[in-house]
Amino acid sequence: MSSRLHLVVLELTGRCNLSCSYCYRRNDPSFDMFDTSLLLDQLSEINPYFINISGGEPLLFDDLFNLAKELKKNCKKLLLTTNGLMIRNFPKQNYKIFNNIQMSLDGDKTLHERIRGRDTYEKIIEAAKYLNGITHVSFLCTVGSENCSHIGEFARKTQESGVLPKIGRMCGFGQSSFSPILDPHSWMSILEEITQYGIINDDPLNFWFDEKKKSSTNPNKIVGGCTAGIAGVAISPELDVYPCVKLRIPAGNLKEQNLKDIWLNSPLFASLRDWHNLKGHCPSCEYVSICRGCRADAWARTGDYLASDPLCWLNGRGEQ
């Protein structure tokens, strides 16, 4: 994996029309990114492959679609991450600018609305239908203790809706009934099931079920795994630059420092790019170059972003 900035997630607003108790942005200010001209100037120097517009809820951001046109000039692929509730508020042709639109679907109607709120499920299903033929659509299921037994149902619903299924890990944020998985071997079984259904997931530990990935280890450089500060960054409405959206330790701020300079010279990013800084069994694991664990979940649960992945079932030598 090169040091080129591959993915930039832009949180255009902290405002949201939902208030999920497990959200990683729950304590952040709720206002919009004001200086988009500064952002565009700095992105033009880097031209990442992906730019992912996120929030809060990005469809609350004024003039989103005109900004999207400018952002598209600075990347190969432009993505939108939304809870989906406002999709139908705008002409469907507006969404052609995006290469993919990702919406949240956390289970069947009863479970999803217990997690996300009343009257959210059907709006998301209808949003997917609305976008049919306009752009690619994916549903993301954030897996925690309450919905981990519903993966098969999620796979069937995405197939029925004609969208791409994706799975994400519920990290240790928030205090709610929707809690993260606690047992590493339970997470191993969940990832195995996800693999069997052919669902896309970017969890660093997913290499265990991919022989091609397992054979690509490199003793001298990072070639896969957690991308936080290594291939991607997140930029908040306040223009703080984070390693990823869930690892909310600032590496710098665009009002004070150039994005390119932050990317190349941040001490925080440097610490993430040297796996010898990791603690516990990670540095000695034969798979460290393709994994390194989820740095955000380590931080969320221990307060130390260099701690071992709390859901790793390995002992550092690639053995169970």
Side-chain angles (χ1 to χ4, degrees):
M1 185 178 294
S2 71
S3 61
R4 182 177 183 270
L5 183 51
H6 192 67
L7 166 67
V8 174
V9 180
L10 299 180
E11 298 176 335
L12 293 182
T13 179
R15 294 183 293 138
C16 191
N17 50 353
L18 293 178
S19 56
C20 305
S21 61
Y22 54 86
C23 180
Y24 54 83
R25 290 199 86 257
R26 66 192 184 281
N27 294 322
D28 289 1
S30 297
F31 54 73
D32 292 355
M33 183 181 292
F34 296 115
D35 199 349
T36 56
S37 60
L38 174 63
L39 175 72
L40 289 167
D41 286 344
Q42 297 198 25
L43 285 172
S44 67
E45 297 181 1
I46 292 182
N47 294 115
Y49 192 86
F50 293 105
I51 293 178
N52 185 357
I53 297 176
S54 182
E57 172 47 55
L59 290 175
L60 289 169
F61 186 83
D62 291 339
D63 212 24
L64 169 66
F65 298 101
N66 283 329
L67 177 60
K69 292 175 184 177
E70 295 303 312
L71 290 169
K72 191 66 176 284
K73 298 174 184 177
N74 296 295
C75 64
K76 295 291 185 182
K77 293 192 176 183
L78 184 65
L79 317 175
L80 177 69
T81 295
T82 169
N83 60 38
L85 302 185
M86 297 177 62
I87 287 287
R88 292 171 61 89
N89 292 8
F90 302 94
K92 61 178 64 179
Q93 298 302 315
N94 287 15
Y95 297 102
K96 284 190 172 183
I97 190 71
F98 300 108
N99 296 95
N100 181 273
I101 296 176
Q102 177 179 284
M103 295 182 282
S104 302
L105 187 72
D106 290 326
D108 62 15
K109 178 178 170 62
T110 300
L111 180 55
H112 177 87
E113 296 194 350
R114 189 158 70 240
I115 294 169
R116 295 266 172 180
R118 292 181 58 185
D119 302 323
T120 56
Y121 182 84
E122 291 300 336
K123 287 183 179 179
I124 293 165
I125 302 303
E126 290 303 313
K129 294 178 182 177
Y130 186 70
L131 295 171
N132 183 40
I134 298 297
T135 188
H136 296 288
V137 176
S138 57
F139 284 161
L140 174 69
C141 179
T142 301
V143 176
S145 59
E146 192 169 359
N147 64 352
C148 62
S149 61
H150 293 255
I151 291 171
E153 295 172 31
F154 172 73
R156 286 188 288 274
K157 189 61 182 179
T158 55
Q159 184 177 26
E160 177 185 309
S161 300
V163 303
L164 187 68
K166 296 182 179 179
I167 291 287
R169 178 195 302 201
M170 168 66 178
C171 292
F173 299 98
Q175 301 292 327
S176 69
S177 59
F178 186 34
S179 59
I181 303 298
L182 299 177
D183 176 58
H185 284 87
S186 295
W187 186 240
M188 176 185 177
S189 298
I190 291 166
L191 286 179
E192 182 176 22
E193 183 180 8
I194 290 168
T195 302
Q196 290 172 349
Y197 279 109
I199 298 174
I200 294 174
N201 80 92
D202 60 1
D203 196 89
L205 290 163
N206 68 11
F207 75 86
W208 191 251
F209 304 99
D210 188 327
E211 292 303 319
K212 185 177 180 180
K213 282 185 180 179
K214 288 172 91 170
S215 66
S216 68
T217 57
N218 189 305
N220 299 312
K221 66 177 182 178
I222 293 171
V223 292
C226 180
T227 62
I230 293 170
V233 299
I235 301 174
S236 75
E238 302 84 9
L239 297 180
D240 285 322
V241 179
Y242 299 117
C244 80
V245 292
K246 296 181 180 180
L247 182 50
R248 303 189 79 76
I249 302 175
N253 186 283
L254 300 188
K255 290 176 286 188
E256 303 168 356
Q257 195 176 5
N258 185 276
L259 177 59
K260 186 175 182 179
D261 183 43
I262 295 172
W263 176 248
L264 294 175
N265 300 308
S266 161
L268 174 61
F269 292 164
S271 70
L272 288 163
R273 293 167 187 170
D274 183 353
W275 68 59
H276 297 95
N277 293 320
L278 299 177
K279 300 174 183 178
H281 63 244
C282 285
S284 62
C285 181
E286 67 177 282
Y287 298 114
V288 66
S289 65
I290 58 170
C291 177
R292 295 172 317 289
C294 179
R295 299 296 95 220
D297 204 10
W299 177 68
R301 302 197 204 204
T302 72
D304 185 350
Y305 68 92
L306 295 173
S308 295
D309 188 322
L311 291 184
C312 180
W313 57 87
L314 306 176
N315 68 6
R317 297 188 300 276
E319 301 168 357
Q320 290 178 263

